[in-house]
């Protein structure tokens, strides 16, 4: 097993997560199977109880793990499925060691940071690194480990010591350290300064770790003499110094690594070169096209993001990425209009009139409205007003988790005239509890007590927009994170009033997807579709929102409908594979085609080979 450790120096927020993900992309493009581990030095056992303002979004995995947002970067970049054990925290390590001590596993020894904590860290890494995450059998080839925080932080000291020991445990040729550092430019002198990186590397060496590769962050490309100076003072070959300067979008980072031969430097340290060459040159054609396509997009699509954490974009990182994936697929330039939900409320008109006016202007100027998940009652009324505006004005709307519950409450109040309709989360004494607490939940224990992880939702209404977007699938597996759900006792009344619950769980009692059939695009999902969106495979619901907001929904639904695909062969007259000439009836033509004599088939085969796109289309339809 080979290990690549990514550390950071000088300041936080340099992009270690994106760097680690990009290293994984390049190594995967070289033909290697890659897994990842994120180490967070905080004492929380997981990210589930942390505020989005404090730590950004909480990313949810298939197994229900509530983890750091960087694991979302890993899954999106590498198209893999991680587990909760791929996120190591100080809390998890300490808890595991204390549990062993209580069982008597240490046989009366004094339990200490060294060796017990450090051994637990190393054992955890070795155990998780061999677990396949790409759907294939057998262990991966390389594990990319990201150490959170900045070198010198007191919280990360046990991990630094453990990783220093680990480099000796796995031996030379199996461990590569990539150190991400900052090369700033001071406006006064206008030159790139190497001192911060020099000090960072010196501190790293003092802790027992020496970098094999330097990844230098800067606003502009590094000058050659700066690289030479870094090489001299940091004891790293110039060929092993890569520059990650600012780019137009993060999909360019793997391309920067490839162009600077970072994979060759890493694979050489890991002893994975054969006759001085890498296993294969990185194949990143699709990645390059996507990054280039993003930069060329001109036609904007405006999406109003209505939430209470709009002051920190990382609070909705996966939602933004899912919107981005969908907008690129629909060839639109994404413009996110951040609308603080509190500013939409009537009370804001009196207290902060300018903010109120601005919020409503942004909402009304958007092509689509998205209300993401959240907790607590602050800003809820503003979200309800946003859902009402979208419903009444036929503006495309997507509600996620709380956003779906908000849409249901608004419908009950405005259409069904249930003035007191609410969620018991916001008003426990409501006379019309549209949304209720889940029976298996806990109101005393906060961590890991929600409905979490991948759950199956079955479509109950054929031909609905959601089912079409998912390719007319009978069910979908998406990730959940919620404590409250739509009250099943009120569902018949909602459906009589025109609101359709098109997706439900296996029992039929838990509502998964809601639609308003009379609306252009008004969909709510109790799950979080953003967690499974990928750059090359956008989430269907986000794709539908962007398509509806840009006037492309009907063509998208036709493309997503397998029945439509089967009939579309009539639009391919160039394939004269039938004695009757152009295709009129797909089934009759197929039968006639099968009766062709062998020499005619050989002749047509040669023609098909000259027009592969047409032949591919034909065979795909059947």
């Amino acid at each position: 097993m080979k290990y690549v450790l990514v550390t950071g120096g000088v300041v936080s927020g340099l992009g270690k997560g994106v760097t680690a993900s990009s290293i994984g992309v390049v190594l995967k493009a070289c033909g290697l199977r890659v897994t990842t581990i994120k180490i967070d030095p905080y004492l929380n056992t997981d990210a589930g109880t942390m505020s989005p303002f404090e730590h950004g979004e909480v990313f949810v995995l298939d197994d229900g793990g509530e983890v750091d947002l960087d694991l979302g970067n890993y899954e999106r970049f590498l198209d893999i499925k991680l587990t909760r054990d791929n996120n190591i925290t100080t809390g998890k390590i300490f808890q595991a060691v204390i549990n062993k001590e209580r069982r008597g596993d240490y046989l009366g020894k004094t339990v200490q940071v060294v060796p017990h904590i450090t051994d637990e860290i190393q054992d955890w890494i070795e155990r998780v690194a061999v677990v396949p995450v790409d759907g294939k059998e057998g262990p991966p080839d390389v594990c990319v480990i990201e150490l959170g925080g900045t070198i010198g932080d007191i919280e990360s000291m046990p991990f630094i010591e453990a990783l220093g020991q680990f480099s000796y445990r796995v031996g030379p040729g199996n461990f590569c350290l990539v150190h991400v550092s900052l090369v700033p430019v001071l406006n006064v002198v206008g030159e790139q300064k190497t001192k911060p990186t020099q000090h960072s590397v010196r501190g790293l060496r003092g802790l027992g770790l020496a970098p094999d590769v330097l990844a230098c962050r800067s606003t502009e490309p590094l000058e050659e003499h700066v690289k030479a100076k870094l090489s001299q003072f940091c004891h790293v070959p110039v060929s092993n110094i890569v520059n990650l300067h600012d780019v137009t979008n993060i999909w360019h980072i793997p391309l920067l690594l490839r162009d600077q031969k970072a994979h060759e430097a890493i694979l050489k340290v890991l002893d994975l070169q054969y006759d001085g060459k890498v296993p294969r040159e990185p194949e990143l054609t699709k990645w390059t096209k996507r990054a280039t396509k993003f930069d060329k997009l001109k036609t904007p699509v405006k999406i109003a993001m209505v939430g209470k954490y709009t002051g920190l974009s990382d609070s909705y990182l996966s939602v933004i990425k899912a919107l981005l994936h969908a907008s690129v697929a629909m060839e639109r330039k994404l413009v996110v209009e951040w609308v603080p939900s509190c500013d939409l409320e009537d009370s804001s008109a009196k207290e902060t009139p300018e903010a109120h006016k601005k919020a409503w202007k942004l909402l009304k100027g958007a092509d689509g409205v998205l209300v993401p998940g959240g907790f607590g009652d602050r800003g809820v009324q503003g979200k309800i007003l946003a859902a009402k505006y979208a419903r009444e004005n036929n503006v495309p709307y997507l509600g996620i988790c709380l956003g779906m519950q908000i849409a249901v409450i608004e419908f009950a109040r405005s259409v069904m005239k249930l003035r007191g309709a609410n969620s018991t989360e916001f008003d426990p004494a409501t006379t019309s509890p549209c949304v209720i607490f889940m029976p298996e939940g806990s109101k005393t224990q906060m961590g890991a007590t929600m409905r979490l992880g991948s759950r199956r939702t079955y479509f109950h209404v054929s031909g609905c927009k959601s089912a079409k977007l998912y390719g007319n699938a009978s069910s979908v597996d998406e990730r959940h994170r919620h404590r409250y759900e739509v009250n099943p006792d009120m569902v018949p009344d909602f459906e009589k009033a025109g609101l359709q619950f098109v997706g439900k769980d296996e029992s039929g009692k838990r509502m998964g997807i809601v639609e308003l059939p009379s609306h252009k695009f008004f969909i709510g999902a109790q799950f979080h579709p953003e967690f499974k969106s990928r750059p090359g495979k956008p989430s269907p619901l986000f794709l539908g929102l962007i398509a509806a907001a840009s006037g492309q929904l009907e063509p998208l639904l036709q493309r997503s409908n397998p029945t439509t695909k089967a009939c579309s062969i009539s639009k391919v007259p160039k394939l004269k594979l039938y004695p009757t000439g152009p295709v009129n009836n797909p089934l009759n033509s197929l039968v006639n085609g099968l009766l062709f004599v062998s020499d005619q088939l050989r002749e047509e085969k040669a023609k098909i080979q000259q027009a592969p796109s047409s032949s591919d289309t034909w065979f795909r339809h059947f």
Side-chain angles (χ1 to χ4, degrees):
M1 190 70 192
K2 309 291 185 178
Y3 300 89
V4 177
L5 172 63
V6 179
T7 61
V10 185
V11 294
S12 59
L14 281 178
K16 293 189 305 297
V18 173
T19 303
S21 302
S22 300
I23 289 172
V25 168
V26 177
L27 295 180
K28 184 178 178 180
C30 289
L32 300 171
R33 294 175 60 200
V34 181
T35 185
T36 63
I37 293 175
K38 172 66 188 297
I39 297 175
D40 283 303
Y42 48 69
L43 280 168
N44 306 62
T45 54
D46 59 38
T49 58
M50 300 173 73
S51 166
F53 278 130
E54 179 83 16
H55 199 67
E57 75 167 5
V58 177
F59 191 80
V60 179
L61 303 171
D62 266 8
D63 66 357
E66 297 174 283
V67 296
D68 184 82
L69 58 81
D70 278 321
L71 274 79
N73 282 327
Y74 304 155
E75 284 204 344
R76 284 187 289 269
F77 269 56
L78 297 168
D79 194 17
I80 55 180
K81 290 184 179 180
L82 300 172
T83 69
R84 66 179 77 235
D85 287 344
N86 289 90
N87 191 196
I88 303 175
T89 69
T90 302
K92 286 182 179 179
I93 296 296
F94 279 24
Q95 190 175 61
V97 170
I98 290 171
N99 288 341
K100 288 182 178 180
E101 185 272 333
R102 291 291 84 188
R103 290 197 306 264
D105 291 5
Y106 298 120
L107 301 176
K109 293 180 180 178
T110 301
V111 180
Q112 298 175 295
V113 173
V114 181
H116 301 102
I117 295 295
T118 53
D119 283 352
E120 183 66 30
I121 294 168
Q122 295 175 71
D123 293 343
W124 192 303
I125 291 173
E126 283 193 326
R127 172 171 55 85
V128 175
V130 297
V131 177
V133 293
D134 55 3
K136 301 177 182 177
E137 295 183 357
D141 300 310
V142 180
C143 178
V144 179
I145 306 166
E146 179 194 346
L147 176 61
T150 306
I151 294 300
D153 293 347
I154 190 170
E155 295 92 346
S156 60
M157 289 303 180
F159 292 102
I160 292 287
E161 176 62 29
L163 291 165
Q165 294 177 17
F166 189 69
S167 65
Y168 287 100
R169 179 193 283 200
V170 299
N174 295 314
F175 188 89
C176 177
L177 173 55
V178 179
H179 187 59
V180 183
S181 187
L182 178 68
V183 179
V185 174
L186 300 181
N187 291 332
V188 178
V189 292
E191 64 175 332
Q192 296 172 334
K193 309 300 290 185
T194 64
K195 266 299 187 273
T197 298
Q198 292 180 41
H199 285 298
S200 180
V201 171
R202 187 178 296 116
L204 189 61
R205 289 182 180 277
L207 295 170
L209 286 169
D212 299 296
V213 176
L214 273 182
C216 299
R217 287 283 290 111
S218 61
T219 54
E220 300 293 336
L222 284 186
E223 299 171 10
E224 287 303 317
H225 76 274
V226 174
K227 281 189 176 183
K229 190 173 182 180
L230 286 169
S231 174
Q232 180 180 5
F233 285 96
C234 298
H235 307 163
V236 176
V238 173
S239 58
N240 286 21
I241 298 176
V242 295
N243 178 212
L244 304 179
H245 55 79
D246 291 351
V247 289
T248 52
N249 68 76
I250 61 171
W251 294 338
H252 282 289
I253 301 299
L255 306 180
L256 283 178
L257 292 173
R258 178 203 60 187
D259 294 343
Q260 296 176 72
K261 306 295 183 183
H263 56 289
E264 292 185 3
I266 294 171
L267 293 176
K268 184 176 181 180
V269 174
L270 295 178
D271 198 21
L272 283 174
Q273 289 189 344
Y274 306 99
D275 296 328
K277 297 180 179 179
V278 297
R280 82 174 189 208
E281 287 300 318
E283 174 50 52
L284 290 169
T285 304
K286 291 183 179 179
W287 196 277
T288 304
K289 287 181 179 178
R290 191 182 303 120
T292 305
K293 181 180 180 181
F294 175 91
D295 293 337
K296 293 181 178 179
L297 296 175
K298 301 291 185 183
T299 308
V301 57
K302 294 182 180 180
I303 302 297
M305 178 82 78
V306 183
K308 67 176 183 177
Y309 304 120
T310 52
L312 179 66
S313 60
D314 274 1
S315 300
Y316 303 113
L317 183 62
S318 290
V319 175
I320 297 300
K321 297 302 179 186
L323 286 171
L324 186 64
H325 301 161
S327 62
V328 172
M330 300 308 298
E331 299 186 347
R332 291 293 184 270
K333 183 176 181 179
L334 176 66
V335 178
V336 177
E337 303 287 13
W338 297 96
V339 181
S341 55
C342 293
D343 291 347
L344 294 173
E345 298 175 358
D346 294 338
S347 58
S348 174
K350 299 177 182 179
E351 298 169 4
T352 53
E354 287 301 319
H356 179 77
K357 183 178 179 181
K358 179 182 178 182
W360 275 102
K361 182 178 180 181
L362 290 174
L363 182 66
K364 292 181 178 180
D367 302 310
V369 177
L370 192 152
V371 177
F375 298 93
D377 59 357
R378 184 169 66 86
V380 163
Q381 184 57 35
K383 296 177 182 179
I384 291 175
L385 291 172
K388 182 178 182 180
Y389 167 78
R391 182 183 58 80
E392 291 181 342
N393 293 277
N394 205 29
V395 176
Y397 175 90
L398 177 61
I400 299 172
C401 197
L402 178 60
M404 168 184 165
Q405 298 170 6
I406 288 296
V408 172
I409 293 170
E410 189 281 322
F411 187 86
R413 291 181 181 180
S414 303
V415 179
M416 300 171 66
K417 306 304 179 184
L418 300 174
R419 300 301 180 190
N422 214 331
S423 166
T424 56
E425 179 181 7
F426 315 131
D427 181 8
T430 176
T431 55
S432 300
C434 302
V435 180
I436 59 174
F437 191 77
M438 298 180 65
E440 70 271 33
S442 171
K443 293 187 177 181
T444 57
Q445 193 77 11
M446 297 295 290
T449 57
M450 290 183 276
R451 184 173 172 84
L452 290 165
S454 182
R455 307 293 176 114
R456 182 157 293 181
T457 299
Y458 295 86
F459 288 107
H460 286 248
V461 178
S462 60
C464 64
K465 293 184 181 71
S466 304
K468 288 181 179 179
L469 289 170
Y470 279 99
N472 276 353
S474 59
S475 63
V476 293
D477 294 323
E478 294 281 10
R479 298 174 183 177
H480 291 245
R481 185 177 186 251
H482 60 103
R483 286 191 178 89
Y484 291 80
E485 62 182 352
V486 174
N487 187 350
D489 294 337
M490 294 187 66
V491 167
D493 295 331
F494 281 120
E495 294 193 326
K496 285 180 184 177
L499 197 62
Q500 281 190 339
F501 290 90
V502 300
K504 303 177 183 179
D505 75 341
E506 64 279 358
S507 69
K509 295 181 179 179
R510 286 188 163 149
M511 305 304 113
I513 307 175
V514 64
E515 284 190 20
L516 192 59
S518 59
H519 197 280
K520 179 195 299 185
F521 186 92
F522 194 92
I523 294 177
Q526 185 59 73
F527 49 79
H528 289 261
E530 69 269 23
F531 291 144
K532 295 182 75 172
S533 182
R534 303 288 182 264
K537 294 182 289 186
S539 165
L541 295 185
F542 281 86
L543 204 60
L545 174 66
I546 295 297
S550 57
Q552 304 179 78
L553 183 60
E554 285 307 315
L556 175 66
L557 294 178
Q558 290 176 7
R559 292 201 303 269
S560 302
N561 190 339
T563 305
T564 306
K565 284 184 178 180
C567 295
S568 66
I569 190 170
S570 60
K571 299 178 182 179
V572 193
K574 293 183 180 179
L575 290 180
K576 296 181 181 180
L577 297 178
Y578 315 99
T580 54
V583 179
N584 295 314
N585 184 305
L587 182 59
N588 292 341
S589 299
L590 177 61
V591 174
N592 291 333
L594 294 174
L595 296 176
F596 266 19
V597 291
S598 59
D599 58 333
Q600 288 176 305
L601 289 175
R602 282 194 296 270
E603 179 182 345
E604 293 301 325
K605 179 181 178 181
K607 294 179 181 179
I608 291 173
Q609 289 174 338
Q610 294 175 359
S613 60
S614 298
S615 64
D616 288 347
T617 303
W618 187 81
F619 285 111
R620 187 164 60 248
H621 290 313
F622 289 90

